[in-house]
Amino acid sequence: MTDVKKKAAGAQPDGSGDEPLLKVTGLAKHFPITKGVLKRKVGAVQAVDGLTFDVRPGETLGVVGESGCGKSTMGRLVTRLLEPTGGKVEFQGRDITHLSPGQMRPMRRDIQMIFQDPYGSLNPRHTVGGIVSTPFKLQGVTPEGGVKAEVQRLLELVGLNPEHYNRYPHEFSGGQRQRIGIARALALKPKLVVADEPVSALDVSIQAQVVNLLDDLQDELGLTYMIIAHDLSVIRHVSDRIAVMYLGKIVELADRNSLYTAPMHPYTKALMSAVPVPDPRRRGAKSERILLKGDVPSPISPPSGCRFHTRCWKATQVCKTTEPPLLQLKTGHQVACHHPENGEDQAPGDAPLVTDSITVKPVETVKAPAAETPESAETSESAGSAETAETAGSAEAVEAAGPAGATDGDAGGAGDGAGSKAAAGDGEVAAAEEAEDKPKG
């Protein structure tokens, strides 16, 4: 760590150290949801809601969190590429929250951004020389020695060949394109650089090159970084302080060593458990992985109280009703949790959520008998089948009894008729015999 970094890391979060370069208070951004021909507002996506933090000169603030938690939106709000819904953004003591594009143009020299997609942020119709020299033209700045010489110097500074001045973006690899974006961001020698996922689209070897490049440039130029990423290993390597975000809010903010050694928020602990440890001595050892239940709630209708209580194993009734503030529980360690890890409980004795017992216990009770006595289940199924068959047979017998009785009756009537006919026939035969006997006598 450089002297500048040490100085920044030694500053206290209460402001007793260096004056913060960037100060954010209650920052919020809600994207409206419209419906119908008249574009009537029916809701809002709460991408960022109530962020408060600061960045001191010469330090690197890392921001981590799951995809969709609002990291990139926060970066665009800080650089004023998006208009905030609420809150305040101060840069060097000046409020830049609602400055117009014309008023923000002079500030662009001091605030630059490295975008996540290296190819999408470069104009494919412009050469590398035209892309990197654009900031000079927009700001009306003429560097010493001319624009072309300065662009070639910047290309060499980020590890590219100055002869690539006339090449187009499609002629470079992903890592080289990211270096072009870094060169463009550093063209005007800014004081604050917001890097949005600078290495997420690169392979591991190129990631190491870009990360080391950013570190070297900070040592050489005295830059201040705010690096947004979801790779905890990269953040640990480059950051002095780390902010953990969940569903649009900062749930924990601490220095690097404190956060990785003793995380206090349950969500941070779950993230740390997912990081693989490259230690051959731990081969075959069982890792303590924390698997979070459920999905991340929608930012359109976030949960009440603590936004993490729907997935937290320590949640109680107060977590469902009261939102925990971001408090400093240790020196330089802020956390927003009623029941923090490695710290004093903020709501001792509170009853656990009823939903936990409903969702967990019945599942175990139902699964156990099915697994232990499969024969009894089969017996009950066969018994049930036998009862069903027996009932069906009796029903068939009852149905068959009606038609059978009717047939017997019909048969009886037919038999009586046949008997009378037979009796009549016998009489006729007897009369014929008597008639035949008379002539013979």
Side-chain angles (χ1 to χ4, degrees), residues 180-254:
I180 296 172
I182 295 174
R184 178 179 58 183
L186 300 179
L188 297 174
K189 299 179 180 179
K191 298 178 181 178
L192 175 66
V193 176
V194 179
D196 183 13
E197 303 275 7
V199 295
S200 62
L202 309 178
D203 56 68
V204 178
S205 60
I206 303 300
Q207 282 184 8
Q209 294 178 12
V210 174
V211 167
N212 292 332
L213 172 64
L214 293 175
D215 202 8
D216 295 339
L217 292 175
Q218 186 177 33
D219 295 342
E220 182 178 349
L221 304 176
L223 300 174
T224 301
Y225 287 139
M226 189 170 74
I227 297 182
I228 300 168
H230 57 262
D231 191 336
L232 295 174
S233 301
V234 172
I235 289 296
R236 184 174 188 176
H237 179 72
V238 301
S239 301
D240 298 315
R241 290 191 303 147
I242 301 173
V244 182
M245 288 189 64
Y246 181 80
L247 207 63
K249 287 186 173 292
I250 293 179
V251 296
E252 190 165 2
L253 177 62

Side-chain angles (χ1 to χ4, degrees), residues 317-363:
Q317 294 293 339
V318 69
C319 301
K320 187 176 181 180
T321 58
T322 307
E323 180 179 349
L326 188 65
L327 301 176
Q328 181 173 325
L329 301 184
K330 294 182 181 179
T331 303
H333 200 141
Q334 303 178 50
V335 62
C337 183
H338 293 296
H339 310 287
E341 301 278 344
N342 303 310
E344 183 180 355
D345 198 338
Q346 302 299 302
D350 192 55
L353 287 177
V354 180
T355 55
D356 292 342
S357 59
I358 293 176
T359 56
V360 176
K361 291 183 179 180
V363 173

